[in-house]
């Protein structure tokens, strides 16, 4: 028997939902930092600058200080895009979840609850400018607390959203994510989402070589289901 249940968001969930969202953002920083250290241009930067300092000054202390300073700089660079994204969400759609998600029939916010604690979230908003002839629902803020992963909660949350989209008459479920979300990408594709495009959000994401990935899940029409 499942040790959790999924329900719609309530005002009393707000602090827990925001804390789960923020902790999820923080989790991406170490992975981004490790990703950067694997890129040839950053490796060349880390090796080349201290080497130049050593050749110019002949000081091992200054060389070690330059290496440490570069690592701190790269760590801050890895932190920057996630903090910007977090701040943007907290002042837009997550600033008032009830108003932005629960006041219209075509949108919703769900939480997964276990032993009275919010351990997972997912939300859905209509796509404002969908492709011609499409009615798309966008999946947002899928997150599961670290200690509750591996229990099928994320998959159950996505299924809940897909069923909602079907009832509301949407043609497709749309997701924007990044290539850093390895487990999420694997989950979406295993559930039938198809990758449509891959571009960069902005220059900072291009510098970090982390593209945005768009995926869609096609919901068959009544005619298609009857075939």
């Amino acid at each position: 028997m499942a040790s959790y249940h999924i329900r719609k968001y309530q005002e009393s969930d707000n602090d827990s939902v925001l804390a789960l969202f923020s902790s999820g953002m923080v989790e991406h920083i170490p992975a981004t930092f490790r990703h950067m250290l694997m890129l040839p241009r950053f490796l060349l930067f880390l090796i080349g600058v201290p080497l130049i300092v050593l050749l110019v000054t002949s000081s091992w202390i200054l060389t070690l200080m330059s290496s440490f300073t570069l690592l701190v700089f790269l760590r801050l660079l890895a932190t920057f895009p996630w903090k910007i994204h977090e701040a943007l969400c907290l002042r837009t759609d997550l600033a008032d979840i009830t108003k932005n998600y629960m006041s219209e029939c075509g949108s919703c916010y769900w939480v997964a609850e276990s032993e009275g604690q919010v351990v997972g979230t997912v939300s859905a908003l209509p796509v404002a400018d969908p492709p011609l002839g499409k009615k798309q629902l966008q999946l947002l803020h899928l997150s599961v607390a670290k200690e509750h992963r591996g229990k099928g909660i994320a998959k159950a949350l996505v299924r809940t959203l897909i069923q909602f989209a079907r009832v509301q008459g949407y043609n497709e479920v749309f997701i924007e994510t990044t290539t850093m979300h390895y487990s999420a990408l694997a989950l979406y594709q295993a559930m039938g989402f198809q990758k449509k495009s891959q571009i960069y959000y902005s220059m900072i994401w291009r510098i970090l070589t982390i593209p945005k990935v768009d995926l869609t899940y096609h919901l068959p029409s009544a005619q298609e289901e009857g075939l």
Side-chain angles (χ1 to χ4, degrees), residues 1-14:
M1 191 172 90
S3 59
Y4 63 88
H5 71 279
I6 296 171
R7 59 171 175 78
K8 291 183 178 180
Y9 168 88
Q10 300 169 0
E11 285 283 359
S12 58
D13 300 322
N14 190 68

Side-chain angles (χ1 to χ4, degrees), residues 156-213:
L157 286 164
V158 174
R159 285 190 184 124
T160 298
L161 186 145
I162 289 173
Q163 180 58 28
F164 174 82
R166 183 175 285 110
V167 170
Q168 294 291 324
Y170 287 96
N171 306 117
E172 290 180 342
V173 176
F174 170 76
I175 305 167
E176 283 185 353
T177 186
T178 75
T179 53
M180 290 301 302
H181 293 83
Y182 307 117
S183 58
L185 276 171
L187 170 71
Y188 296 141
Q189 291 180 302
M191 295 186 71
F193 285 83
Q194 297 182 340
K195 190 184 295 186
K196 294 297 182 182
S197 63
Q198 185 169 299
I199 61 172
Y200 290 97
Y201 279 114
S202 63
M203 184 55 68
I204 184 64
W205 293 102
R206 185 178 292 276
I207 291 170
L208 300 180
T209 321
I210 301 176
K212 172 176 78 76
V213 181

Side-chain angles (χ1 to χ4, degrees), residues 26-220:
V26 170
E27 276 189 55
H28 296 311
I29 296 171
T32 303
F33 183 56
R34 290 192 297 270
H35 168 76
M36 291 170 63
L37 295 180
M38 298 293 289
L39 296 175
R41 60 176 174 273
F42 288 116
L43 280 174
L44 183 64
F45 187 60
L46 280 171
I47 296 169
V49 172
L51 183 59
I52 292 170
V53 171
L54 180 61
L55 292 173
V56 171
T57 66
S58 299
S59 170
W60 284 103
I61 293 176
L62 289 176
T63 300
L64 290 172
M65 287 179 61
S66 68
S67 296
F68 176 76
T69 301
L70 289 174
L71 285 171
V72 171
F73 170 74
L74 292 180
R75 176 74 180 198
L76 289 173
L77 187 61
T79 302
F80 179 74
W82 299 111
K83 288 298 182 183
I84 291 296
H85 177 69
E86 179 184 0
L88 177 64
C89 292
L90 290 175
R91 70 169 182 265
T92 53
D93 64 311
L94 296 183
D96 190 336
I97 294 174
T98 299
K99 177 183 176 182
N100 294 322
Y101 286 97
M102 309 304 292
S103 60
E104 301 289 339
C105 64
S107 59
C108 197
Y109 206 109
W110 297 269
V111 302
E113 186 179 60
S114 177
E115 298 180 352
Q117 300 295 317
V118 172
V119 299
T121 66
V122 74
S123 60
L125 284 175
V127 174
D129 189 20
L132 187 64
K134 299 289 185 181
K135 184 182 178 184
Q136 288 184 323
L137 185 70
Q138 185 170 5
L139 183 154
L140 297 156
H141 307 309
L142 177 65
S143 184
V144 176
K146 203 169 187 177
E147 61 274 19
H148 289 273
R149 291 171 191 168
K151 301 178 181 178
I153 295 175
K155 188 175 289 187
L157 286 164
V158 174
R159 285 190 184 124
T160 298
L161 186 145
I162 289 173
Q163 180 58 28
F164 174 82
R166 183 175 285 110
V167 170
Q168 294 291 324
Y170 287 96
N171 306 117
E172 290 180 342
V173 176
F174 170 76
I175 305 167
E176 283 185 353
T177 186
T178 75
T179 53
M180 290 301 302
H181 293 83
Y182 307 117
S183 58
L185 276 171
L187 170 71
Y188 296 141
Q189 291 180 302
M191 295 186 71
F193 285 83
Q194 297 182 340
K195 190 184 295 186
K196 294 297 182 182
S197 63
Q198 185 169 299
I199 61 172
Y200 290 97
Y201 279 114
S202 63
M203 184 55 68
I204 184 64
W205 293 102
R206 185 178 292 276
I207 291 170
L208 300 180
T209 321
I210 301 176
K212 172 176 78 76
V213 181
D214 293 343
L215 304 102
T216 59
Y217 180 94
H218 177 68
L219 290 157

